[in-house]
């Protein structure tokens, strides 16, 4: 059994690959996560670049460390997504919900992987990011999406959130792809009261921090020890927005 990197009354954090840790888990009521998209380009060569090269621009100029797992080609992204989604479902209770972020390029692939992994795809939610630079004559690239699914018949969540939320990107984030805690609290509105929330790609810990704010127990898995340290520090702070 993998030893926790950090644990308290409400949170358990593991340092490791989710494919190694997931088979050891059970009793999960919700999987809420933001996996590496392997996106950021139109061609395989683009996706193979570093995460800083792909995602850091004039809006995110401050230095942030690279993160792993973001350079898969389309077929390997599909196969890998199926593996972690299937493992997460086996760790989940009947009726558990899945909410996974993704961008427009990988949306079709992820929804295929969700269904191949045994989840029932139920809806799509949109996070609109005001302030993203506009492109003349084109639609803006100012949204990310949440694939919403369930492990069989769904158990109702604690709230009834709209499937569109407008909220700006955090400028002081510590992870290139860090989601605002407010955005994660919005997503957690579809989670049943008291459910154990699992994030297999914990990053800088926004899902875990949001679950703590809402009084939900959570389990995080993160492959990079630098981010495990960041998560532990964020959990020691007061309520974050």
């Amino acid at each position: 059994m993998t030893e926790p990197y950090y644990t308290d009354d409400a949170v358990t954090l593991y340092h490791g690959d989710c494919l190694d840790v997931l088979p050891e888990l059970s009793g999960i009521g919700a999987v809420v996560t933001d996996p590496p998209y392997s996106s950021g380009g139109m061609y395989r060569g683009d996706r193979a670049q570093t995460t800083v090269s792909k995602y850091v621009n004039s809006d995110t100029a401050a230095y942030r460390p690279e993160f792993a797992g973001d350079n898969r080609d389309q077929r390997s992204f599909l196969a890998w997504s199926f593996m972690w989604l299937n493992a997460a479902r086996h760790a989940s209770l009947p009726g558990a919900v899945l909410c996974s972020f993704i961008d427009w390029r990988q949306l079709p692939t992820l929804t295929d992987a969700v269904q191949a992994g045994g989840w029932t795809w139920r809806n799509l939610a949109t996070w609109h990011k005001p302030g993203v630079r506009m492109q003349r004559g084109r639609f803006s690239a100012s949204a990310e999406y949440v694939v919403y699914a369930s492990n069989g018949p769904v158990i109702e969540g604690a709230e009834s959130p709209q499937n569109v939320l407008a909220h700006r990107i955090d400028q002081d984030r510590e992870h290139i792809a860090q989601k605002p805690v407010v955005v994660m609290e919005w997503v957690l509105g579809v989670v049943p009261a008291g459910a154990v929330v699992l994030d297999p790609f914990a990053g800088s810990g926004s899902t875990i921090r949001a679950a703590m704010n809402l009084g939900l127990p959570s389990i995080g898995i993160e492959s990079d020890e630098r981010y495990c340290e960041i998560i532990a520090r964020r959990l020691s702070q007061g309520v974050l927005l």
Side-chain angles (χ1 to χ4, degrees):
M1 184 70 179
T2 305
E3 290 295 321
Y5 184 90
Y6 171 94
T7 186
D8 61 27
D9 292 341
V11 177
T12 303
L13 175 65
Y14 294 98
H15 171 222
D17 189 310
C18 71
L19 293 177
D20 295 327
V21 179
L22 284 171
E24 301 177 357
L25 303 181
S26 62
I28 302 302
V31 181
V32 179
T33 193
D34 183 25
Y37 296 171
S38 289
S39 186
M42 296 298 294
Y43 305 104
R44 180 175 180 178
D46 298 332
R47 290 193 293 273
Q49 296 180 61
T50 67
T51 53
V52 168
S53 297
K54 289 189 288 186
Y55 303 125
V56 175
N57 53 41
S58 59
D59 297 323
T60 59
Y63 172 76
R64 299 176 185 94
E66 300 282 349
F67 62 92
D70 196 71
N71 57 359
R72 295 177 175 88
D73 63 24
Q74 198 73 357
R75 295 182 71 179
S76 60
F77 179 77
L78 174 61
W80 171 77
S81 296
F82 161 76
M83 288 190 291
W84 75 258
L85 285 160
N86 184 254
R89 185 179 62 82
H90 281 291
S92 297
L93 298 169
V97 297
L98 165 75
C99 295
S100 179
F101 278 88
I102 199 66
D103 73 347
W104 66 271
R105 295 181 182 91
Q106 295 287 37
L107 177 59
T109 306
L110 184 67
T111 54
D112 284 348
V114 163
Q115 294 170 91
W119 296 90
T120 302
W121 182 22
R122 296 195 170 274
N123 204 343
L124 195 68
T126 301
W127 171 35
H128 166 52
K129 301 174 285 187
V132 170
R133 183 174 56 195
M134 303 296 293
Q135 301 179 67
R136 184 179 297 277
R138 303 180 186 182
F139 286 112
S140 66
S142 60
E144 293 180 51
Y145 305 96
V146 180
V147 177
Y148 169 55
S150 66
N151 186 18
V154 66
I155 297 176
E156 291 183 359
E159 301 178 20
S160 300
Q162 292 288 343
N163 70 335
V164 177
L165 176 74
H167 192 279
R168 288 181 175 270
I169 299 171
D170 287 342
Q171 295 302 315
D172 59 349
R173 59 193 184 278
E174 299 181 80
H175 190 291
I176 293 170
Q178 182 172 320
K179 300 296 185 286
V181 172
V182 169
V183 172
M184 302 315 300
E185 290 177 349
W186 163 66
V187 174
L188 289 171
V190 298
V191 171
V196 177
V197 177
L198 168 66
D199 187 349
F201 309 97
S204 59
S206 291
T207 300
I208 296 171
R209 184 68 240 193
M212 176 180 282
N213 288 354
L214 297 176
L216 294 168
S218 63
I219 297 172
I221 307 171
E222 174 52 44
S223 63
D224 190 327
E225 189 170 5
R226 292 173 299 179
Y227 288 116
C228 290
E229 283 294 313
I230 289 172
I231 293 169
R233 173 169 50 78
R234 294 182 81 190
L235 293 176
S236 70
Q237 299 170 346
V239 173
L240 297 179
L241 300 178

